């Protein structure tokens, strides 16, 4: 039984393939704008997750009234 041949170069990932297509279709400024927009989306999601967690912590304790 023979071993499978070893590839000298790794197979590109799906993300790498999308970035290659993106570079062909979009100018540099459009790519930068799209990536900045996606970074903003991810940051908004992170902040929303933090807000939900903070609310859960606050809900565990009764409100302190003077």
């Amino acid at each position: 039984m023979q071993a499978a041949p070893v590839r000298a170069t790794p197979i590109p990932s799906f993300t790498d393939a999308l970035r290659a297509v993106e570079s062909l279709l979009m100018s540099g400024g459009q790519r930068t704008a799209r990536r900045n927009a996606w970074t903003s989306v991810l940051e908004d999601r992170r902040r929303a997750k933090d807000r939900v967690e903070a609310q859960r912590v606050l809900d565990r304790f009764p409100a302190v009234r003077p």
Side-chain angles (χ1 to χ4, degrees):
M1 192 165 150
Q2 290 183 345
V6 177
R7 284 178 127 348
T9 57
I11 297 172
S13 70
F14 183 71
T15 303
D16 293 337
L18 284 177
R19 286 191 178 158
V21 170
E22 174 191 56
S23 69
L24 292 172
L25 298 176
M26 294 181 160
S27 68
Q30 288 175 324
R31 271 195 316 272
T32 301
R34 188 194 59 79
R35 287 188 182 147
N36 287 345
W38 183 243
T39 300
S40 294
V41 166
L42 295 177
E43 184 63 21
D44 288 345
R45 288 179 182 176
R46 186 194 61 78
R47 281 194 301 265
K49 183 179 172 185
D50 289 347
R51 278 193 305 274
V52 168
E53 182 60 28
Q55 188 62 49
R56 284 184 186 147
V57 170
L58 291 173
D59 289 344
R60 287 184 198 158
F61 300 100
V64 178
R65 300 190 190 244

